[in-house]
Amino acid sequence: MGGAMGVELRLLGPIEAVGPAGPAVLSSARQRALVGLLALRPGLPVTASRLVQALWGMDPPRTAVRTLQSHLTRAKQALAAAGLPGLLTGGRIGYTLAAGPEAVDACRFEALVAAARAESAAGHVAEAVSGLRTGLGLWRGEALADAELHGWAAAEVARLHQVRLAALADLWDGELRLGGHADAVPELERLLVADPGEERLVGLLMLARYRCGRHSEALTGYQRLRERLAETLGVDPSPELQRLHTAILRRDPALDLADAPGQVPAQLPSRPGHFTGRPAELALLDAALPPGGDAGHALPGDTDAGTPLVLVSGPAGMGKTALVVEWTQRVADRFADGQIFCDLLGHDEATALTPDDVLGHALRGLGVPAGRIPTGPADQLGLYRSLLRDRRVLLVCDNVGSAEQILPLVPPTAGSLLVATSRHQLPTLDVHYALRRVELDALSLGESLTLLDRVLGTARTAAEPGPARQLVDACDRMPLALRIAAAKLTSRPRLAIADLVAELATGNRLDALSVPGDSRSIRAVFASAYRALTPAAAAAFRLLGLHPGPTFAVPLVAAVTGTPVTDARRVTEELAAAHLVSEVASGRFRFHDLIRWYARECAGAEEPADARTRAEERLLDWYLAVADAANRTLTPGRDRAPVHARHPVPDPPFPARHAEVLAFLDAERANLSAVSRHAVDRGEDTAAWQLAYLLMGFYYSRGHWAPMLEICRTGLDAARRLADGGTEGLMRGQVGVACIQLQRFDEALDALRRALPLMVAAGDAWGEGSVRNNTAVALAALRRFDEAVAEYEAALAMHTANGLSRDVAYALNNLGDAHTRMGQTDVALDYLDRALALVRTLGDDRLEAVILHGTGAAHLGEGRYRQAMELFDRARSTQRLIGDRRAEVDTLNDTGLAHLGLAEHAEARDLFDQARLLSRAIADPHLEAVAMTNLGLAEFRAGATDAAEDWYQRALAVRARVPAVFEEAELHRHLGDLAESRSDAATARSHRDTAIRLYEKANATAEAAALASAL
């Protein structure tokens, strides 16, 4: 190790001199540099002028020699203190370190490298590798790392680094000759990060990847180098590297590892960095592990113990390979006879491996020399199965394009396991085997944020938590997109996450999700899946990218592509099989956001402008036709929006029955606002207002009025641009109705009062009557009953005069409701009886249920509970049959109140809870709070005061978001009763005072007076 004096001089890292008394304390960089410079020539003198040049370069200061002498003196003192007096000497010629080459790590390194090369030349590869590892182990960092050197000294340091680089290449060349290609890949990749133009390392990495079955990556490495050399030097790779590239293209058997008896294949790639999440998928893979066997081999009874085939499938960029490599590395020791990995290149038909290619690779991996592999496919298959029968081997087939590529490789017994990844579903595999499937989709929000934490560091993500979440959304939680975005941030440590999010939001997102020099951009992986589609499926993919909503069904595909539904179903299934779309419910599909972006990009690049225009026209035509068909079924008689399609439209995707219509529109709900905005963006204002009009019946039945208000306001803006007063009035009326449903009564009255003169000016008697009717509804909700009755009567007179029977029935029903709430039950029942008789001549089940409910409410107010319940049950039966959930909530609540009036507390609680759950399902917090209040009342009447208080407080919390003054007054009255039952007079008085104040504010003067008189 050291010289005769016990000295050790370390140059392969920070400069150190170690003597019998320990390390020398060389306190300045120049002292350490002087010792290092002299150690480069141990035992030989170095002149002062050369030392000055090495330390200061060609333009030293005038005091350089004097400063050099000072540093030498201090260095001598430090060496002497370390037990090395006389190590540094000076003479007439120059200065010398009195040590032999064996004392200097750099000299020992070069000697070990020379010896290893001699061993390799003699065919002793393992010994050569061992010597190289010993020599390279002397390196602790950059040579003479803490010295700033110039001239000849800097050149010597560069030479040492070249020797080290060559030694590393020798090492991994030897490892490849010994079969260590799996370990070589990550190390060579790491080395090439620092020296990307080092051709020998590139060649070794190409060969290592090829032997690991990663053929496409092997070729990609060559392509990258060629582009780099052309750009920087204007030259091609060396002839030797070109020959290697050609051999890989030809899959030359000469590239395969020579036969090594007893060698166990270990071809798995290195584990992916920062692997995150996927616990459910990892558990599914764990469940596929074959049963254990003695000494790592299958037991005789293992044959039927499990399936030997697992398919991990999912869209491009979801991390299928990463998941499989991570899992197989975890369980590799369960397969004592080795692991074989092969990239089948199935995403490109032109380069995809044939079944014979794959089988040949597997046989070579199992140790069969190329010259001994049978020529006939049947013989190859027989040999393969014979070799696997008594072994435990893990086979990984990455990027499978078709079932035919891997069917021959399925192990004959359960002791071995084949794990395949594919962007396709490969249903053929299910025909032949009891296949285990692992479907991969986007990461969860938590997993995505964890991935960013691991790549960027928690300090960086914690500093920008909001932008970090926005970045996750912009990347669609797709692992590849997240890794690319994180790589961009890592390479630019001063780039704010928010700035990258802004770039993704305002620029081309696919351009932004790429890293220079990396071929696996988001666009590239999508393109490889897209190019494999049939022409019809590719066209559908492009045109569907124009759809503004998140999901679509096959009928829309037929409409947009202008093809029959049967053809549309076929191409949609092809897109789903390629995981370019995902089936989120039976017959309903969605794009991942980034894939939709790519589809739109393809449409813009490949579809002529007129073809895109026709597709968007067909899309809007289809939505209008669907809304029109739904309107005719759900609200017959509403005929103010005649639809005229510009292109042939498929038949409606539902029969003319309420339940089926509502079910289909439920699935389309998330699309409706987007389609409305899309119509406006395209300048199709007529389509925008017609959609708003035709969808009203759907929202009446299903709730979710907040998005409907948006659609109505979009329709109103469109009508104003059309400068059509009647249509504007119609849309203002619909805005008013939506505001009523959202308990925004003052806004509703404003919209309706603006609508009325427009209807009058247009001479629209029906429109005027409708606006008056809805104005009355808002007034009644504000408990301004006298004004409401006047408006109802005006609407009734207008509809009667115009012979609008259905609207007459509505007006009669509404008058009955107003009189019921005013306590005038006999008057109310007269109106309701007239309404019921009329509606039965019309055959309108929905309206009949509304009137039956209103009649029941009148009896409920008079305490005729059984009679009310019978009417409520009839109404609810129809509401459930036709799917009118919004009306069903009201009926459930009132039926519960009838049971409560009969002290049937359990029945009441059940009905109120059903109302609460249904209110939540239709996104109506007002009705949910009503149900909670009723639940509290039921618990209170049953003596469960704690449960009652809980429901009341929950209702109050909702009321903070959705104010309703009368209902809040009722809540405080009930809380006052609760406090009184607990003998808490002060709290009872406080709640009752609040209730009185709120009753007065809500125009409920009778209720306020009654409560005040009870105090």
Side-chain angles (χ1 to χ4, degrees):
M1 173 75 85
M5 298 173 60
V7 60
E8 186 175 353
L9 300 166
R10 301 172 182 168
L11 308 184
L12 303 180
I15 300 167
E16 296 177 357
V18 182
V25 181
L26 301 165
S27 57
S28 75
R30 288 229 161 89
Q31 290 176 36
R32 293 190 294 276
L34 275 171
V35 172
L37 290 170
L38 294 170
L40 286 172
R41 297 171 58 85
L44 298 174
V46 183
T47 65
S49 62
R50 282 176 64 80
L51 290 174
V52 168
Q53 183 197 42
L55 290 174
W56 285 283
M58 298 304 293
D59 188 23
R62 285 180 298 172
T63 59
V65 174
R66 187 166 63 249
T67 303
L68 174 66
Q69 293 292 340
S70 175
H71 286 313
L72 285 166
T73 299
R74 291 191 177 91
K76 286 180 181 180
Q77 294 169 351
L79 292 168
L84 300 170
L87 178 65
L88 196 164
T89 63
R92 183 174 54 84
I93 300 176
Y95 299 93
T96 306
L97 277 185
E102 70 280 357
V104 183
D105 59 357
C107 297
R108 296 201 307 276
F109 164 67
E110 292 199 71
L112 286 165
V113 170
R117 287 173 178 158
E119 292 279 14
S120 180
H124 305 149
V125 180
E127 291 79 357
V129 167
S130 176
L132 288 166
R133 286 197 178 279
T134 301
L136 289 163
L138 297 173
W139 286 76
R140 298 170 290 110
E142 299 291 316
L144 288 85
D146 47 357
E148 184 179 346
L149 302 176
H150 305 271
W152 67 271
E156 181 61 18
V157 169
R159 186 192 68 80
L160 281 172
H161 281 290
Q162 285 301 314
V163 175
R164 182 192 190 192
L165 193 60
L168 285 163
D170 289 343
L171 169 67
W172 291 110
D173 180 79
E175 290 286 9
L176 287 178
R177 292 161 68 186
L178 294 172
H181 36 270
D183 292 332
V185 170
E187 290 301 320
L188 289 166
E189 289 173 339
R190 183 178 60 80
L191 291 172
L192 281 167
V193 170
D195 295 283
E198 183 60 38
E199 290 198 42
R200 189 178 175 204
L201 293 179
V202 172
L204 291 169
L205 179 58
M206 289 169 63
L207 182 58
R209 285 173 167 170
Y210 176 81
R211 287 184 178 170
C212 287
R214 297 160 67 178
H215 306 87
S216 61
E217 292 178 63
L219 297 171
T220 299
Y222 176 85
Q223 183 63 28
R224 259 189 224 152
L225 176 68
R226 186 173 70 176
E227 291 170 357
R228 180 183 181 83
L229 292 176
E231 182 180 336
T232 58
L233 302 175
V235 299
D236 289 327
S238 66
E240 181 183 2
L241 205 60
Q242 291 182 43
R243 287 192 293 272
L244 175 61
H245 177 251
T246 301
I248 290 174
L249 284 171
R250 294 174 177 172
R251 305 185 187 279
D252 190 338
L255 296 178
D256 295 325
L257 188 64
D259 189 20
Q263 180 181 311
V264 173
Q267 299 180 359
L268 295 178
S270 57
R271 295 172 95 150
H274 308 295
F275 181 83
T276 301
R278 306 297 196 192
E281 292 83 357
L282 289 168
L284 288 171
L285 289 168
D286 286 341
L289 281 168
D294 186 25
H297 290 78
L299 293 170
D302 283 352
T303 303
D304 298 318
T307 180
L309 177 60
V310 179
L311 176 65
V312 178
S313 61
M318 288 302 172
K320 299 180 292 296
T321 302
L323 170 69
V324 168
V325 170
E326 172 69 19
W327 180 76
T328 53
Q329 285 283 13
R330 293 184 187 187
V331 302
D333 59 353
R334 298 281 296 270
F335 297 89
D337 297 308
Q339 308 89 39
I340 294 173
F341 182 94
C342 186
D343 183 353
L344 276 60
L345 309 176
H347 54 265
D348 187 343
E349 206 170 288
T351 60
L353 273 63
T354 67
D356 290 348
D357 291 333
V358 182
L359 192 55
H361 175 83
L363 288 170
R364 291 190 294 274
L366 290 169
V368 181
R372 298 180 188 173
I373 295 177
T375 56
D379 292 336
Q380 290 179 9
L381 184 57
L383 176 59
Y384 170 76
R385 289 173 176 169
S386 297
L387 289 171
L388 279 193
R389 181 160 297 278
D390 294 320
R391 297 189 187 186
R392 292 180 70 85
V393 177
L394 176 60
L395 302 105
V396 178
C397 288
D398 197 26
N399 290 319
V400 177
S402 67
E404 289 71 24
Q405 283 183 299
I406 60 169
L407 279 172
L409 265 70
V410 179
T413 63
S416 293
L417 180 65
L418 171 59
V419 180
T421 73
S422 181
R423 297 173 188 173
H424 304 278
Q425 295 172 337
L426 306 182
T428 301
L429 295 177
D430 294 285
V431 175
H432 294 273
Y433 296 98
L435 175 70
R436 289 183 186 268
R437 288 186 174 273
V438 179
E439 290 283 339
L440 215 57
D441 210 325
L443 295 170
S444 68
L445 174 61
E447 289 171 338
S448 301
L449 291 171
T450 299
L451 178 57
L452 289 183
D453 285 345
R454 290 179 177 176
V455 180
L456 301 178
T458 54
R460 195 166 179 186
T461 54
E464 296 186 83
R469 291 189 65 153
Q470 292 169 353
L471 180 59
V472 164
D473 291 338
C475 292
D476 208 17
R477 303 181 188 176
M478 186 177 289
L480 178 59
L482 285 166
R483 287 176 178 274
I484 291 172
K488 296 190 75 164
L489 289 165
T490 301
S491 65
R492 297 175 60 188
R494 291 178 179 81
L495 177 64
I497 298 175
D499 290 341
L500 179 57
V501 170
E503 180 184 350
L504 292 169
T506 58
N508 187 311
R509 193 175 299 186
L510 299 179
D511 283 343
L513 289 173
S514 62
V515 176
D518 188 345
S519 62
R520 281 183 57 79
S521 68
I522 289 294
R523 182 182 284 108
V525 297
F526 291 165
S528 62
Y530 168 64
R531 286 194 299 267
L533 296 172
T534 62
F541 176 76
R542 294 191 297 270
L543 297 178
L544 285 169
L546 303 174
H547 179 37
T551 69
F552 60 88
V554 170
L556 175 69
V557 182
V560 170
T561 58
T563 59
V565 171
T566 52
D567 292 349
R569 181 172 292 107
R570 185 172 60 254
V571 297
T572 306
E573 289 171 354
E574 182 179 345
L575 294 175
H579 284 99
L580 285 169
V581 301
S582 303
E583 190 168 14
V584 293
S586 181
R588 183 154 293 273
F589 302 84
R590 70 176 287 264
F591 280 116
H592 282 283
D593 288 345
L594 291 174
I595 297 178
R596 178 188 292 107
W597 190 290
Y598 178 70
R600 288 175 183 167
E601 184 177 274
C602 291
E606 300 178 41
E607 293 287 346
D610 60 340
R612 296 197 303 272
T613 298
R614 285 195 302 273
E616 292 187 315
E617 288 175 351
R618 287 195 295 260
L619 183 145
L620 286 174
D621 283 354
W622 183 80
Y623 270 103
L624 283 168
V626 166
D628 186 39
N631 175 68
R632 289 197 303 271
T633 298
L634 299 177
T635 49
R638 296 186 81 249
D639 56 1
R640 308 303 295 276
V643 173
H644 304 290
R646 292 157 291 190
H647 302 278
V649 178
D651 292 335
F654 42 70
R657 293 191 294 269
H658 281 74
E660 286 87 344
V661 171
L662 292 171
F664 186 83
L665 289 181
D666 281 340
E668 285 285 341
R669 183 186 298 115
N671 295 327
L672 300 178
S673 295
V675 171
S676 171
R677 291 191 299 271
H678 184 63
V680 170
D681 292 342
R682 284 183 43 79
E684 301 209 29
D685 288 330
T686 298
W689 80 257
Q690 286 185 335
L691 274 173
Y693 178 85
L694 295 169
L695 290 171
M696 204 68 174
F698 167 62
Y699 285 94
Y700 266 128
S701 294
R702 290 305 216 222
H704 296 273
W705 280 95
M708 185 55 190
L709 177 58
E710 177 191 347
I711 291 171
C712 289
R713 284 180 168 157
T714 299
L716 171 58
D717 291 342
R720 294 180 68 186
R721 283 190 295 272
L722 292 170
D724 182 332
T727 301
E728 181 183 345
L730 188 65
M731 288 295 99
R732 287 193 182 280
Q734 291 211 167
V735 169
V737 170
C739 287
I740 289 170
Q741 297 299 327
L742 291 168
Q743 308 297 300
R744 292 153 66 166
F745 302 115
D746 290 334
E747 288 180 59
L749 287 173
D750 178 70
L752 291 162
R753 284 166 178 162
R754 288 169 180 261
L756 188 60
L758 292 168
M759 291 300 190
V760 172
D764 187 342
W766 174 88
E768 181 183 349
S770 177
V771 168
R772 290 188 180 280
N773 179 77
N774 291 324
T775 300
V777 173
L779 290 168
L782 292 170
R783 304 188 73 77
R784 292 160 60 178
F785 294 118
D786 291 340
E787 296 173 74
V789 167
E791 290 287 357
Y792 281 140
E793 288 175 342
L796 176 61
M798 296 194 74
H799 292 321
T800 301
N802 288 285
L804 300 172
S805 300
R806 184 171 281 102
D807 297 287
V808 169
Y810 269 113
L812 290 169
N813 173 78
N814 291 343
L815 278 163
D817 174 72
H819 284 287
T820 295
R821 296 171 68 187
M822 295 167 72
Q824 300 170 359
T825 307
D826 291 342
V827 177
L829 287 172
D830 178 62
Y831 280 119
L832 290 164
D833 288 344
R834 289 164 59 192
L836 190 59
L838 178 58
V839 79
R840 283 175 174 163
T841 68
L842 302 174
D844 188 330
D845 293 339
R846 181 181 180 279
L847 180 53
E848 182 175 350
V850 169
I851 298 167
L852 286 171
H853 174 264
T855 307
H859 289 291
L860 177 66
E862 290 298 310
R864 296 191 284 268
Y865 300 121
R866 294 295 180 195
Q867 194 171 349
M869 285 163 57
E870 188 271 333
L871 290 162
F872 290 149
D873 287 345
R874 287 166 58 192
R876 187 173 167 223
S877 176
T878 298
Q879 289 159 355
R880 297 191 70 178
L881 181 66
I882 65 175
D884 192 349
R885 294 178 181 173
R886 169 62 181 79
E888 186 182 354
V889 173
D890 286 334
T891 305
L892 284 166
N893 272 316
D894 283 349
T895 309
L897 290 173
H899 282 284
L900 202 57
L902 294 169
E904 295 170 353
H905 303 131
E907 292 86 346
R909 274 196 302 263
D910 178 64
L911 290 161
F912 294 147
D913 203 43
Q914 289 183 55
R916 178 182 68 88
L917 294 174
L918 191 53
S919 300
R920 181 171 295 178
I922 64 172
D924 194 322
H926 164 70
L927 290 179
E928 186 178 358
V930 170
M932 287 176 174
T933 302
N934 288 338
L935 278 163
L937 184 60
E939 296 289 4
F940 177 71
R941 296 272 182 88
T945 55
D946 289 345
E949 183 176 24
D950 179 63
W951 283 118
Y952 289 151
Q953 293 298 338
R954 289 171 68 178
L956 274 178
V958 175
R959 285 292 167 218
R961 293 185 286 112
V962 189
V965 181
F966 182 80
E967 283 75 12
E968 288 179 60
E970 293 279 274
L971 262 172
H972 282 286
R973 179 168 66 84
H974 294 324
L975 283 165
D977 294 342
L978 180 66
E980 183 179 61
S981 73
R982 292 172 171 172
S983 301
D984 185 349
T987 301
R989 180 60 185 257
S990 174
H991 279 299
R992 286 165 173 165
D993 286 344
T994 300
I996 291 169
R997 176 175 54 80
L998 291 172
Y999 277 137
E1000 290 171 344
K1001 183 179 179 181
N1003 300 312
T1005 53
E1007 288 85 349
L1011 185 56
S1013 66
L1015 293 179

